[in-house]
């Protein structure tokens, strides 16, 4: 798993599950009926650090000798995951975030024990500064999605879904840089995988259309978690090989889905976590028993 183009497999996901088991929570499924439609929700927002990102961070850090210091760049959730994983493993961490980072995420990153550095207006600018800082001896830059070990770690979400509900025939995941969707594809064992993006944060959708990763605009209510301007090379290779469906939803659909999760289930999540639910409500997720990954809850909000 050292080459960025290496096509790894479900075996890597199962190895990741064994590796992270002492530290990550096994999150529950909720069997839900809305109208006359049945759907399962994977409540991954209950994960330590408030999102699925902890899984990839742990797997990447545990896949070799521990570094003295890890450096991350993030719109918030990956940074909080790295800060939490570093604390669990006794490693120091620095997290670079864009100046637009939500206050709730910045506060939690610092509370987890990491040094927080605000840099630039976008994730790409923060990532460039973080990568430069990690060039020092004893430091390691831990990419939020363009790393095989991170992708394999994120795939443990889907592995748990299928272990707990083998009858699931489709899984929907939100897309930022593509790590969760790619990991889901690796672990899906032939099930349909639907990758859901905001209409104006569509780096995977644009890459699939172009046949390669390309730069895309970033403009959505969910941008703090889905704000990658270019899908990762590693996730893109996996997603293209697994014929994953790409679905777009607009900001109004995202917020309506987020509020309905609260009204129906008292589930309070950030906008990005409502993406799969928005797609399902719109009839864009196939299957007799689909599962939607509710991936994070690191935003402070009140229902409208």
């Amino acid at each position: 798993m050292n080459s960025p183009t290496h096509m790894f497999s479900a075996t890597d996901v199962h190895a990741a599950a064994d590796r992270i088991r002492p530290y990550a929570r096994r999150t529950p499924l909720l069997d839900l009926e809305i109208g006359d439609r049945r759907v399962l929700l994977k409540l991954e927002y209950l994960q330590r650090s408030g999102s699925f990102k902890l899984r990839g961070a742990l797997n990447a850090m545990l896949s070799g000798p521990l570094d003295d210091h890890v450096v991350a760049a993030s719109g918030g959730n990956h940074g909080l995951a790295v800060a939490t994983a570093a604390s669990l493993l006794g490693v120091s961490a620095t997290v670079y975030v864009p100046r637009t980072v939500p206050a709730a995420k910045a506060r939690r990153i610092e509370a987890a024990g990491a040094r927080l550095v605000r840099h630039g207006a976008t994730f790409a600018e923060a990532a460039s500064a973080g990568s430069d800082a990690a060039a020092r001896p004893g430091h390691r830059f831990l990419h939020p999605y363009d790393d095989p070990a991170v992708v394999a770690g994120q795939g443990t979400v889907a592995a748990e879904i299928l272990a707990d509900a083998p009858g699931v025939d489709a899984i929907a995941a939100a897309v930022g840089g593509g790590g969760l969707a790619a990991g889901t594809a690796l672990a899906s064992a032939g099930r349909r995988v639907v990758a859901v993006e905001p209409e104006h944060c569509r780096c995977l959708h644009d890459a699939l259309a172009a046949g390669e990763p390309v730069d895309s605009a970033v403009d959505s209510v969910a941008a703090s978690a889905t704000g990658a301007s270019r899908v990762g090379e590693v996730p893109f290779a996996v997603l293209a090989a697994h014929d994953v469906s790409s679905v777009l939803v607009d900001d109004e659909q995202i917020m309506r889905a987020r509020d309905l999760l609260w009204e129906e289930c008292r589930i309070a999540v950030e906008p990005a976590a409502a993406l799969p639910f928005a797609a399902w409500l719109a009839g864009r997720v196939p299957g007799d028993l689909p599962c939607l990954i509710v991936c994070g809850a690191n935003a402070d909000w009140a229902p409208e």
Side-chain angles (χ1 to χ4, degrees), residues 41 99 101 111 118 181 186 206 213 219 230 253 264:
L41 304 182
R99 289 189 293 270
V101 65
R118 291 177 171 83
L186 285 178
D206 290 347
D219 182 17
R230 178 183 285 247
Q253 290 173 303
E264 288 285 341

Side-chain angles (χ1 to χ4, degrees), residues 27-258:
T27 53
L29 288 175
L30 175 64
D31 195 329
L32 182 65
E33 190 169 302
I34 295 182
D36 59 353
R37 299 168 66 198
R38 183 185 176 202
V39 68
L40 301 183
L41 304 182
K42 175 65 166 170
L43 305 184
E44 186 61 17
Y45 72 97
L46 297 174
Q47 186 57 257
R48 277 177 159 171
S49 81
S51 87
F52 73 96
K53 294 280 191 178
L54 181 74
R55 297 171 182 264
L58 282 169
N59 191 49
M61 292 172 69
L62 290 168
S63 291
L66 285 176
D67 299 277
D68 295 331
H69 193 101
V70 291
V71 180
S74 173
N77 285 342
H78 173 66
L80 181 52
V82 169
T84 302
S87 176
L88 288 168
L89 300 177
V91 174
S92 59
T94 299
V95 178
Y96 283 75
V97 295
R99 289 189 293 270
T100 54
V101 65
K105 293 183 179 181
R107 180 180 73 248
R108 291 178 177 122
I109 289 169
E110 291 184 307
R115 174 175 170 254
L116 183 76
V117 179
R118 291 177 171 83
H119 182 90
T122 65
F123 164 74
E125 292 174 357
S128 178
S131 181
D132 290 344
R136 289 173 286 181
H139 287 55
R140 175 189 179 183
F141 184 68
L142 206 165
H143 199 282
Y145 49 84
D146 210 8
D147 180 323
V150 170
V151 170
Q154 316 307 28
T156 62
V157 179
E160 288 180 6
I161 292 170
L162 298 184
D164 292 344
V168 161
D169 52 6
I171 304 173
V175 174
L180 177 60
T184 300
L186 285 178
S188 64
R191 274 79 167 181
R192 185 76 173 268
V193 176
V194 179
V196 190
E197 296 176 278
E199 189 174 31
H200 300 296
C201 281
R202 51 193 291 170
C203 64
L204 173 61
H205 191 88
D206 290 347
L208 291 172
E212 63 182 356
V214 293
D215 290 332
S216 296
V218 174
D219 182 17
S220 171
V221 69
S224 74
T226 62
S229 59
R230 178 183 285 247
V231 69
E233 298 277 354
V234 170
F236 179 74
V238 173
L239 292 164
H242 284 79
D243 194 26
V244 170
S245 299
S246 173
V247 170
L248 301 179
V249 290
D250 63 33
D251 281 0
E252 183 179 347
Q253 290 173 303
I254 295 167
M255 298 308 286
R256 186 163 60 245
R258 185 202 68 167

